[in-house]
Amino acid sequence: MFPTGSDKATGALQLLATGVQQRFLLRDMANSEICRMQWSPDGTCLAVPSVDGAVRLWNAHNGTLTKTLKRHDDRVYSVAWSPDNRWLASTGRDRRIVIWDATTGEIKRTIFNEDRAVYSVTWSPGGALLASASHDHSILLHDPLTGEEKHKLEGHTGMIYSLAWSSDGTLLASGAADKTIRLWSLTGAEPVCICALDGHTQTVIHVSWSSDGTWLASCAADKTIRIWDVANRRERIMIEGHNQYVTSAVFSADNRLLASKSGDGTVRLWRCDTWELVTFIPEPRSASGSYLAALSFHPKEPLLASLGEHDAVVRIWSLDETRLLASKPATTTLYYSNAKVLLVGDSGVGKSGLSQVLTGGPFQKTESTHNREVHIFETTTLRQDSGVEENREILLWDLAGQPGYRLIHQLYLDDVSVALVVFDARNEIDPFSGVLHWARALRQAQRDRQQSGRPIKIFLVAARVDRGSIGVSRKRIDQVLEKLGFDGYFETSAKEGWQIDQLAKAIREAIDWNALPRISSTEMFAQIKQFLNEERATGIYLSNQDNLYSSFLRLINVEHSEALQAQFDTCLSLIASRGLIERLSFGDMVLLRPEALDSYAWAIVNAAKSEPDGLGYIREASALAGEFPLGSEYRIQRSGQEKLLLIATVEKLLRHEIALRVEADDASYLVFPSQLTREHPDLPLPTGRTVKFRFEGAILNIYTTLVVRLAQSGMFRLNDMWKNAAGFLSVVNNATCGLYLNELSENRAELTLFYDVRASQYIRFQFEEYVHMHLRRRTHANSLNRVYFTACPECNYVVPEQVVELRKQRNFDSISCPVCNTTISLTSAKEATIPSKAQWISRMDKVANQQRDRAAQISSVGGKQEVGDFDVFLCHNNRDKAVVKRIGQKLRQQGLLPWLDEWELRPGMPWQNILEEQIQKVKAAAVFVGENGVGPWQDMEQAAFIREFVQRGCPVIPIVLPSCQNPPQLPYFLTGMTWVDFRKTTPDPLQQLVWGITGERENIVS
């Protein structure tokens, strides 16, 4: 049943004798890869969809194939049974939803989806609705009897890969590439999204309910499983243990076990009371295995359907739950929880001193810091009544207070439990400087956290009260506390220790540990985490992952194994997701002190703001060379390491849409929309203004990301920028569309849209709706309002708002234009004339994401070049060099660094020696075959290099160039490799090549 001679196999055979036994092996002649299978509600039949376009029905009692349903033209991703077992829905890449009569195998109805593919389908428990999710970020609800579309659910900003209906039919859960899970209520006349559950750091692949609807399980590409308490909308458990993406997590019928499947080649069983690992089943996957491969528990019996033989056969396992739950856990499980306390406020208000004494250190006078610092506030161990121990750690994040850091520090407001907003008690002019900004920003984060059941307690803290009386009255302080909703107030002195103990106690009591996810982890993970904390404490900034791994092996005196290295890699990713370290996108480099990036980012932003022409830019070459003011105490003194950090900083600014890369004739520039000081001559009343949005929130972050995303949306291109204003040109007809930001206070603003006469109603609608969507996602709850200007249709004169309101109060519905005497209507018919929202909004989002990622990838390639981190060796005939170079350039745009002789070989040096030195670092090889017919493998030296790739187990990808008519015979050691054919357009050959090099697809499924 299992291969012999394997440690995993031996362990599995022992486990079979204690509760796991294979009952059936379901195999058909097609030997096709299998996607998301599902048992019928009565448990008599298992429906199995596969990539050959067929759905196969298997008898659950005797393991025989009863029907093969063929209608799809391409791979089938998902199947769903109707509650009465009569109908079966299937869907896949051919954009069809096919509804079958499960008894006769006849097709009842076909529903065609206009988008590219439908990834998930599920039948409501009552049978009245069929939900499907597809590539366009939306969910469609159909009447399965008529095929009529009843509702379209929009809200996700990424492709949706999984749907699951609660057992009572009131809630629909969806998991998507935007890293969120959304819960949709179906109890009212119209479906509504009641919350978005945040926590995963990569694409959510699968969601499933417990049978009683209490728990929702989700799993993701971030290698974790998360269990959500649906009633309280909070994450209860995060399960660590898998070393690769997790494609499925499902509950047993009695909710005693959870099964999970992963790309690490295992299926694991977890008990649902303690979340300990009960056992695992080896289930190796092919390198091209679909992320939609699934598990399925029988609805009534302790049977589990999983996959085997690289996901091409189904294995039915019989589980003895009593014996499994009584057995000793497969690994030692450790539990821990983390709480994040944020210390914020303007520069110079006393945060650093407060941080020192709150974390148990002596008070020392300090200068203002230029980065964030993370300290351990407290670590405790709690023993539960069951005897299980849980480690609880509180981390204090001290954020730099200079205003230039606000753009950057908005990135760190996630997962905050307690925030301390500090102000200088001695300041008589503006003591609450920065308080309003941080209170609003934290309340925005509070809104997001409420959806996941994680409240934030926010305290107002007066610092340095030993230096004199507070500069404001207690009455004003009370007004601020009430207006901004603070949860407490403290008057402190770090030097004298005044109210430090009381504040520390308030922090401890404010943390709701029940609202924080409890993490179930392994003993090895705990060792790795401790090792990384110790490495960080030594002051090392940058290290190579291999060096860290080698140091860890020496520390624990253990020999290398692939499994241990995979655990180490996974642990790095998990710690990086919490912001404690940062994995650079090149050279397997690990930044142990990520606060260094903050200092460089702040300095680059300030340099752009100081640009003499007021255009808010810096030459990218200057940024990468460190040609900007920054104190030596904040610079990395090793120039080689500083260069790598500068590359990583630029990449971060681009990836988080703080900056925009603009290519000019002379150079490449980093432009910061928030830092322009050049004034627009027509502001604050631009001509052609039509609508304005009032909102509250992190103004500069909202505005900056909006400008960057519009510039990269594919529908509009950036034309000009000024202080708080930007002009765009429509790609359709060069019509001007503009934004003007009017900051009313620290956290309250108006955004006015204006156009020229060439902007048609439809172009204006596109621009306006995209802006509205952006603001709706990012502004403070219930603060967004849209107000249309009343303008003369003849001369575009804008009637002042006050005049409009006064005329309406007197029941006038029109006014004469004071310029041209045209009658101007005062009715609000504008909103009724706006057409319904179209799919182009999601397309603009997708293009903006792609352009953002491409800009960041260019920086990543620069880092790879610096450390010699080559992704692929381009082996080719010199007569095909021109087309190979073009493909190489496209790979660079995808963030991949190719090794090409013309780019890497220094003239006059022996190429064999140079290539031999670098070849060990290259991860893959591409062998190009063109019209010239003679393959490069006939060169003995190049053939030896290619053979070395094969022996190392690296991908070797034969590529047919567009000009090649008859590909020559490959040598024997390449005959089993899958070709990439650039003579075809489908599937996209470039994406196929990227997949071959990286092992990762552009999208999570193909």
Side-chain angles (χ1 to χ4, degrees), residues 2-16:
F2 295 96
T4 57
S6 160
D7 291 339
K8 284 186 176 180
T10 303
L13 287 170
Q14 292 172 351
L15 292 168
L16 290 178

PDB file of all heavy atoms in Angstrom, residues 2-16:
ATOM      1  N   PHE A   2       1.967   1.255   0.799  1.00  0.00           N
ATOM      2  CA  PHE A   2       2.879   2.374   0.818  1.00  0.00           C
ATOM      3  C   PHE A   2       4.245   1.900   0.352  1.00  0.00           C
ATOM      4  O   PHE A   2       4.596   0.729   0.522  1.00  0.00           O
ATOM      5  CB  PHE A   2       3.025   2.948   2.236  1.00  0.00           C
ATOM      6  CG  PHE A   2       1.760   3.553   2.754  1.00  0.00           C
ATOM      7  CD1 PHE A   2       0.906   2.824   3.561  1.00  0.00           C
ATOM      8  CD2 PHE A   2       1.427   4.847   2.419  1.00  0.00           C
ATOM      9  CE1 PHE A   2      -0.260   3.384   4.034  1.00  0.00           C
ATOM     10  CE2 PHE A   2       0.260   5.417   2.895  1.00  0.00           C
ATOM     11  CZ  PHE A   2      -0.581   4.684   3.705  1.00  0.00           C
ATOM     12  N   PRO A   3       5.071   2.763  -0.225  1.00  0.00           N
ATOM     13  CA  PRO A   3       6.424   2.378  -0.606  1.00  0.00           C
ATOM     14  C   PRO A   3       7.199   1.930   0.617  1.00  0.00           C
ATOM     15  O   PRO A   3       7.072   2.494   1.698  1.00  0.00           O
ATOM     16  CB  PRO A   3       7.009   3.664  -1.203  1.00  0.00           C
ATOM     17  CG  PRO A   3       5.817   4.507  -1.547  1.00  0.00           C
ATOM     18  CD  PRO A   3       4.752   4.139  -0.568  1.00  0.00           C
ATOM     19  N   THR A   4       8.000   0.933   0.446  1.00  0.00           N
ATOM     20  CA  THR A   4       8.800   0.433   1.565  1.00  0.00           C
ATOM     21  C   THR A   4      10.100   1.223   1.659  1.00  0.00           C
ATOM     22  O   THR A   4      10.508   1.913   0.733  1.00  0.00           O
ATOM     23  CB  THR A   4       9.121  -1.061   1.368  1.00  0.00           C
ATOM     24  OG1 THR A   4       9.799  -1.201   0.105  1.00  0.00           O
ATOM     25  CG2 THR A   4       7.850  -1.877   1.349  1.00  0.00           C
ATOM     26  N   GLY A   5      10.764   1.078   2.810  1.00  0.00           N
ATOM     27  CA  GLY A   5      12.032   1.743   3.001  1.00  0.00           C
ATOM     28  C   GLY A   5      11.928   3.215   3.320  1.00  0.00           C
ATOM     29  O   GLY A   5      12.902   3.933   3.275  1.00  0.00           O
ATOM     30  N   SER A   6      10.757   3.689   3.637  1.00  0.00           N
ATOM     31  CA  SER A   6      10.559   5.107   3.929  1.00  0.00           C
ATOM     32  C   SER A   6      10.120   5.275   5.373  1.00  0.00           C
ATOM     33  O   SER A   6       9.293   4.527   5.872  1.00  0.00           O
ATOM     34  CB  SER A   6       9.498   5.689   2.984  1.00  0.00           C
ATOM     35  OG  SER A   6       8.976   6.868   3.514  1.00  0.00           O
ATOM     36  N   ASP A   7      10.696   6.290   6.047  1.00  0.00           N
ATOM     37  CA  ASP A   7      10.268   6.557   7.423  1.00  0.00           C
ATOM     38  C   ASP A   7       8.795   6.880   7.474  1.00  0.00           C
ATOM     39  O   ASP A   7       8.061   6.420   8.348  1.00  0.00           O
ATOM     40  CB  ASP A   7      11.077   7.732   7.999  1.00  0.00           C
ATOM     41  CG  ASP A   7      12.528   7.356   8.219  1.00  0.00           C
ATOM     42  OD1 ASP A   7      12.798   6.148   8.315  1.00  0.00           O
ATOM     43  OD2 ASP A   7      13.371   8.257   8.291  1.00  0.00           O
ATOM     44  N   LYS A   8       8.327   7.673   6.505  1.00  0.00           N
ATOM     45  CA  LYS A   8       6.910   8.022   6.478  1.00  0.00           C
ATOM     46  C   LYS A   8       6.065   6.782   6.277  1.00  0.00           C
ATOM     47  O   LYS A   8       5.010   6.612   6.872  1.00  0.00           O
ATOM     48  CB  LYS A   8       6.638   9.044   5.371  1.00  0.00           C
ATOM     49  CG  LYS A   8       7.089  10.450   5.716  1.00  0.00           C
ATOM     50  CD  LYS A   8       6.649  11.409   4.633  1.00  0.00           C
ATOM     51  CE  LYS A   8       6.996  12.834   5.012  1.00  0.00           C
ATOM     52  NZ  LYS A   8       6.575  13.794   3.988  1.00  0.00           N
ATOM     53  N   ALA A   9       6.535   5.925   5.379  1.00  0.00           N
ATOM     54  CA  ALA A   9       5.760   4.726   5.101  1.00  0.00           C
ATOM     55  C   ALA A   9       5.658   3.854   6.339  1.00  0.00           C
ATOM     56  O   ALA A   9       4.606   3.309   6.667  1.00  0.00           O
ATOM     57  CB  ALA A   9       6.404   3.953   3.956  1.00  0.00           C
ATOM     58  N   THR A  10       6.779   3.689   7.059  1.00  0.00           N
ATOM     59  CA  THR A  10       6.755   2.865   8.268  1.00  0.00           C
ATOM     60  C   THR A  10       5.778   3.429   9.281  1.00  0.00           C
ATOM     61  O   THR A  10       4.957   2.713   9.863  1.00  0.00           O
ATOM     62  CB  THR A  10       8.172   2.807   8.884  1.00  0.00           C
ATOM     63  OG1 THR A  10       9.054   2.294   7.897  1.00  0.00           O
ATOM     64  CG2 THR A  10       8.191   1.918  10.103  1.00  0.00           C
ATOM     65  N   GLY A  11       5.853   4.761   9.479  1.00  0.00           N
ATOM     66  CA  GLY A  11       4.925   5.377  10.423  1.00  0.00           C
ATOM     67  C   GLY A  11       3.488   5.179  10.014  1.00  0.00           C
ATOM     68  O   GLY A  11       2.613   4.905  10.824  1.00  0.00           O
ATOM     69  N   ALA A  12       3.207   5.284   8.712  1.00  0.00           N
ATOM     70  CA  ALA A  12       1.838   5.151   8.245  1.00  0.00           C
ATOM     71  C   ALA A  12       1.325   3.743   8.460  1.00  0.00           C
ATOM     72  O   ALA A  12       0.172   3.539   8.831  1.00  0.00           O
ATOM     73  CB  ALA A  12       1.761   5.534   6.767  1.00  0.00           C
ATOM     74  N   LEU A  13       2.174   2.728   8.229  1.00  0.00           N
ATOM     75  CA  LEU A  13       1.738   1.351   8.419  1.00  0.00           C
ATOM     76  C   LEU A  13       1.392   1.084   9.876  1.00  0.00           C
ATOM     77  O   LEU A  13       0.441   0.385  10.192  1.00  0.00           O
ATOM     78  CB  LEU A  13       2.834   0.387   7.936  1.00  0.00           C
ATOM     79  CG  LEU A  13       3.010   0.297   6.415  1.00  0.00           C
ATOM     80  CD1 LEU A  13       4.259  -0.492   6.074  1.00  0.00           C
ATOM     81  CD2 LEU A  13       1.793  -0.360   5.774  1.00  0.00           C
ATOM     82  N   GLN A  14       2.164   1.670  10.777  1.00  0.00           N
ATOM     83  CA  GLN A  14       1.845   1.517  12.191  1.00  0.00           C
ATOM     84  C   GLN A  14       0.518   2.183  12.526  1.00  0.00           C
ATOM     85  O   GLN A  14      -0.287   1.643  13.269  1.00  0.00           O
ATOM     86  CB  GLN A  14       2.966   2.143  13.027  1.00  0.00           C
ATOM     87  CG  GLN A  14       4.288   1.391  12.931  1.00  0.00           C
ATOM     88  CD  GLN A  14       5.408   2.138  13.600  1.00  0.00           C
ATOM     89  OE1 GLN A  14       5.265   3.288  13.992  1.00  0.00           O
ATOM     90  NE2 GLN A  14       6.562   1.491  13.736  1.00  0.00           N
ATOM     91  N   LEU A  15       0.266   3.335  11.902  1.00  0.00           N
ATOM     92  CA  LEU A  15      -0.961   4.050  12.192  1.00  0.00           C
ATOM     93  C   LEU A  15      -2.176   3.331  11.639  1.00  0.00           C
ATOM     94  O   LEU A  15      -3.262   3.421  12.187  1.00  0.00           O
ATOM     95  CB  LEU A  15      -0.870   5.465  11.626  1.00  0.00           C
ATOM     96  CG  LEU A  15       0.158   6.365  12.327  1.00  0.00           C
ATOM     97  CD1 LEU A  15       0.375   7.620  11.525  1.00  0.00           C
ATOM     98  CD2 LEU A  15      -0.274   6.696  13.727  1.00  0.00           C
ATOM     99  N   LEU A  16      -2.006   2.615  10.532  1.00  0.00           N
ATOM    100  CA  LEU A  16      -3.127   1.875   9.978  1.00  0.00           C
ATOM    101  C   LEU A  16      -3.649   0.848  10.978  1.00  0.00           C
ATOM    102  O   LEU A  16      -4.832   0.540  11.011  1.00  0.00           O
ATOM    103  CB  LEU A  16      -2.715   1.173   8.687  1.00  0.00           C
ATOM    104  CG  LEU A  16      -2.447   2.105   7.495  1.00  0.00           C
ATOM    105  CD1 LEU A  16      -2.000   1.283   6.307  1.00  0.00           C
ATOM    106  CD2 LEU A  16      -3.701   2.872   7.145  1.00  0.00           C
TER     107      LEU A  16
END
